Amino acid sequence: MTVMTQSEAGELTLLDGTVVHYRAIRPEDAPALQRFHSRLSERSIYQRLFGVMPVLSDQLAHRFTHVDGYDRFALVALDPTDPNELIGVARFDREPGTDRAEYAAIVVDQWQGRGLGLALTRRLVDAARRRNVRHLYALVLPENARMLNLLRDLGLPERIKHVDGIERVELDLDGAAGTAASTVREE
Protein backbone atom coordinates (compact mmCIF):
# COMPACT_ATOMS: atom_id res chain seq x y z
CA MET A 1 0.00 0.00 0.00
CA THR A 2 1.54 3.32 -1.04
CA VAL A 3 0.35 6.54 0.58
CA MET A 4 1.72 9.63 -1.14
CA THR A 5 0.58 13.14 -0.37
CA GLN A 6 1.63 16.61 -1.35
CA SER A 7 3.42 17.16 1.95
CA GLU A 8 5.91 14.45 1.02
CA ALA A 9 7.53 16.82 -1.42
CA GLY A 10 8.13 20.48 -0.87
CA GLU A 11 10.46 23.07 0.57
CA LEU A 12 12.10 23.47 3.94
CA THR A 13 13.38 26.84 5.14
CA LEU A 14 16.46 26.40 7.31
CA LEU A 15 17.54 28.52 10.27
CA ASP A 16 19.72 30.72 8.02
CA GLY A 17 16.91 31.23 5.49
CA THR A 18 18.23 28.74 2.94
CA VAL A 19 15.42 26.94 1.08
CA VAL A 20 15.95 23.21 0.54
CA HIS A 21 13.66 20.98 -1.51
CA TYR A 22 12.73 17.55 -0.20
CA ARG A 23 10.83 14.55 -1.56
CA ALA A 24 10.31 10.82 -1.07
CA ILE A 25 13.29 8.66 -1.95
CA ARG A 26 13.20 6.89 -5.32
CA PRO A 27 14.90 3.75 -6.65
CA GLU A 28 16.91 5.87 -9.09
CA ASP A 29 18.46 7.71 -6.10
CA ALA A 30 20.86 4.80 -5.41
CA PRO A 31 23.91 6.42 -7.11
CA ALA A 32 23.16 9.79 -5.43
CA LEU A 33 22.87 8.01 -2.07
CA GLN A 34 26.27 6.43 -2.62
CA ARG A 35 27.77 9.84 -3.46
CA PHE A 36 26.05 11.30 -0.37
CA HIS A 37 27.59 8.57 1.79
CA SER A 38 31.06 9.29 0.33
CA ARG A 39 30.75 12.93 1.49
CA LEU A 40 30.07 11.95 5.11
CA SER A 41 32.86 12.14 7.66
CA GLU A 42 34.02 8.99 9.44
CA ARG A 43 32.46 10.38 12.61
CA SER A 44 29.05 10.93 10.99
CA ILE A 45 29.10 7.41 9.56
CA TYR A 46 30.12 5.93 12.91
CA GLN A 47 27.40 7.84 14.78
CA ARG A 48 24.77 6.64 12.32
CA LEU A 49 25.90 3.06 11.64
CA PHE A 50 27.93 2.37 14.83
CA GLY A 51 30.85 1.26 12.71
CA VAL A 52 33.18 2.15 9.87
CA MET A 53 31.78 1.93 6.35
CA PRO A 54 33.75 4.12 3.92
CA VAL A 55 31.69 2.96 0.91
CA LEU A 56 27.96 2.29 0.69
CA SER A 57 27.67 -0.96 -1.26
CA ASP A 58 25.40 -1.34 -4.27
CA GLN A 59 23.35 -3.84 -2.25
CA LEU A 60 22.77 -1.39 0.64
CA ALA A 61 22.08 1.52 -1.72
CA HIS A 62 19.45 -0.64 -3.41
CA ARG A 63 17.90 -1.63 -0.08
CA PHE A 64 17.74 1.97 1.16
CA THR A 65 16.23 3.35 -2.06
CA HIS A 66 13.74 0.58 -2.78
CA VAL A 67 11.05 1.19 -0.18
CA ASP A 68 7.38 0.27 -0.29
CA GLY A 69 6.20 3.75 0.73
CA TYR A 70 4.14 2.41 3.63
CA ASP A 71 6.12 0.15 5.99
CA ARG A 72 9.45 1.44 4.71
CA PHE A 73 9.62 5.10 3.82
CA ALA A 74 12.31 7.76 3.42
CA LEU A 75 12.57 11.43 2.61
CA VAL A 76 15.61 13.03 1.02
CA ALA A 77 16.76 16.65 1.05
CA LEU A 78 18.23 17.95 -2.20
CA ASP A 79 21.24 20.23 -2.50
CA PRO A 80 19.94 23.71 -3.49
CA THR A 81 22.91 24.20 -5.83
CA ASP A 82 22.62 20.75 -7.45
CA PRO A 83 19.25 18.98 -7.11
CA ASN A 84 20.86 15.73 -8.31
CA GLU A 85 22.77 15.54 -5.02
CA LEU A 86 21.37 14.53 -1.63
CA ILE A 87 22.26 16.41 1.56
CA GLY A 88 20.02 14.62 4.05
CA VAL A 89 17.98 11.46 4.54
CA ALA A 90 15.33 10.59 7.15
CA ARG A 91 13.64 7.21 7.15
CA PHE A 92 11.56 4.74 9.06
CA ASP A 93 11.20 0.97 8.89
CA ARG A 94 8.10 -0.48 10.54
CA GLU A 95 8.34 -3.59 12.68
CA PRO A 96 6.13 -6.14 10.86
CA GLY A 97 2.52 -6.15 12.00
CA THR A 98 2.93 -3.29 14.49
CA ASP A 99 2.48 0.46 14.79
CA ARG A 100 6.19 0.85 15.72
CA ALA A 101 9.03 1.79 13.40
CA GLU A 102 12.74 2.40 13.67
CA TYR A 103 13.75 5.95 12.76
CA ALA A 104 17.09 7.06 11.37
CA ALA A 105 18.40 10.26 9.84
CA ILE A 106 21.69 11.64 8.65
CA VAL A 107 22.75 14.96 7.16
CA VAL A 108 25.96 15.52 5.23
CA ASP A 109 28.49 17.26 7.48
CA GLN A 110 28.56 20.73 5.89
CA TRP A 111 24.75 20.97 6.31
CA GLN A 112 24.67 19.86 9.94
CA GLY A 113 23.67 22.39 12.62
CA ARG A 114 21.38 24.36 10.28
CA GLY A 115 18.05 22.77 11.21
CA LEU A 116 17.82 20.46 8.20
CA GLY A 117 17.66 17.22 10.19
CA LEU A 118 14.91 18.54 12.46
CA ALA A 119 12.84 19.96 9.58
CA LEU A 120 13.15 16.75 7.54
CA THR A 121 12.31 14.62 10.59
CA ARG A 122 9.16 16.65 11.25
CA ARG A 123 7.99 15.86 7.70
CA LEU A 124 8.86 12.21 8.25
CA VAL A 125 6.84 12.15 11.50
CA ASP A 126 3.84 13.51 9.58
CA ALA A 127 4.30 10.81 6.92
CA ALA A 128 4.59 8.11 9.59
CA ARG A 129 1.35 9.23 11.25
CA ARG A 130 -0.47 9.04 7.90
CA ARG A 131 0.73 5.43 7.66
CA ASN A 132 -0.57 4.54 11.13
CA VAL A 133 2.85 4.49 12.77
CA ARG A 134 2.23 5.56 16.38
CA HIS A 135 5.70 5.05 17.84
CA LEU A 136 9.15 5.73 16.42
CA TYR A 137 12.34 4.64 18.09
CA ALA A 138 15.91 5.63 17.37
CA LEU A 139 19.10 3.89 18.42
CA VAL A 140 21.59 6.62 19.28
CA LEU A 141 25.12 6.59 20.67
CA PRO A 142 25.19 8.55 23.96
CA GLU A 143 27.85 10.94 22.56
CA ASN A 144 25.66 11.86 19.58
CA ALA A 145 24.32 15.02 21.23
CA ARG A 146 23.01 16.47 17.97
CA MET A 147 20.68 13.53 17.38
CA LEU A 148 19.56 13.37 21.00
CA ASN A 149 18.79 17.11 20.89
CA LEU A 150 16.95 16.75 17.56
CA LEU A 151 14.70 14.06 19.03
CA ARG A 152 14.03 16.20 22.11
CA ASP A 153 13.31 19.26 19.92
CA LEU A 154 10.44 17.40 18.23
CA GLY A 155 8.42 18.11 21.37
CA LEU A 156 6.97 14.59 21.52
CA PRO A 157 6.68 12.47 24.65
CA GLU A 158 9.77 10.29 24.80
CA ARG A 159 11.14 7.39 26.78
CA ILE A 160 14.88 6.76 26.84
CA LYS A 161 16.30 3.34 27.63
CA HIS A 162 20.01 2.68 27.97
CA VAL A 163 20.72 -0.72 26.39
CA ASP A 164 24.22 -2.12 25.83
CA GLY A 165 25.85 1.31 25.59
CA ILE A 166 23.22 2.70 23.22
CA GLU A 167 20.34 5.07 23.93
CA ARG A 168 17.01 3.77 22.64
CA VAL A 169 14.82 6.86 22.30
CA GLU A 170 11.15 5.99 21.88
CA LEU A 171 8.78 8.69 20.64
CA ASP A 172 5.00 8.69 21.03
CA LEU A 173 3.62 10.14 17.78
CA ASP A 174 0.16 10.52 19.30
CA GLY A 175 1.63 13.14 21.66
CA ALA A 176 0.96 16.73 20.65
CA ALA A 177 4.01 18.31 19.03
CA GLY A 178 4.90 21.65 20.51
CA THR A 179 3.55 20.81 23.94
CA ALA A 180 5.74 20.22 26.94
CA ALA A 181 7.17 16.80 26.19
CA SER A 182 7.76 14.35 28.96
CA THR A 183 10.98 12.41 29.10
CA VAL A 184 11.29 9.17 31.01
CA ARG A 185 14.75 7.68 31.50
CA GLU A 186 15.16 4.00 32.19
CA GLU A 187 18.42 2.26 33.00
Side-chain angles (χ1 to χ4, degrees):
M1 173 182 203
T2 300
V3 178
M4 295 294 280
T5 67
Q6 232 175 356
S7 64
E8 289 165 0
E11 296 179 345
L12 306 168
T13 302
L14 306 186
L15 299 172
D16 63 3
T18 302
V19 174
V20 173
H21 291 272
Y22 73 94
R23 61 169 170 75
I25 202 164
R26 301 173 184 153
E28 59 269 21
D29 288 327
L33 188 64
Q34 289 176 303
R35 291 190 305 272
F36 166 82
H37 183 87
S38 73
R39 293 192 313 273
L40 296 169
S41 68
E42 285 183 20
R43 179 182 175 173
S44 289
I45 293 169
Y46 183 80
Q47 286 183 331
R48 168 61 188 91
L49 301 173
F50 308 153
V52 178
M53 184 184 296
V55 175
L56 186 66
S57 70
D58 291 343
Q59 181 181 6
L60 278 177
H62 181 272
R63 181 182 186 288
F64 290 148
T65 56
H66 287 72
V67 297
D68 66 13
Y70 187 76
D71 290 326
R72 296 182 62 238
F73 182 75
L75 292 173
V76 294
L78 309 175
D79 187 326
T81 63
D82 185 353
N84 295 315
E85 297 301 326
L86 308 179
I87 58 173
V89 181
R91 66 182 312 110
F92 70 79
D93 288 280
R94 185 191 312 258
E95 293 178 358
T98 73
D99 63 357
R100 297 183 173 283
E102 182 175 1
Y103 156 83
I106 190 163
V107 172
V108 76
D109 293 69
Q110 61 265 35
W111 286 88
Q112 291 178 11
R114 298 170 70 177
L116 177 58
L118 180 60
L120 199 59
T121 296
R122 284 185 172 140
R123 297 316 182 286
L124 186 77
V125 165
D126 291 341
R129 285 177 174 142
R130 284 190 297 276
R131 290 160 173 82
N132 299 315
V133 172
R134 299 292 169 242
H135 306 276
L136 286 178
Y137 67 91
L139 303 175
V140 184
L141 292 171
E143 65 268 19
N144 191 347
R146 276 194 167 152
M147 180 55 77
L148 292 170
N149 289 334
L150 179 155
L151 294 167
R152 190 172 307 112
D153 289 347
L154 289 171
L156 296 168
E158 65 182 32
R159 177 179 301 271
I160 301 172
K161 296 179 183 179
H162 189 77
V163 181
D164 296 330
I166 296 172
E167 301 289 336
R168 180 183 168 113
V169 181
E170 300 177 1
L171 302 172
D172 177 1
L173 301 191
D174 288 333
T179 62
S182 61
T183 301
V184 177
R185 280 199 156 285
E186 297 178 2
E187 296 300 323

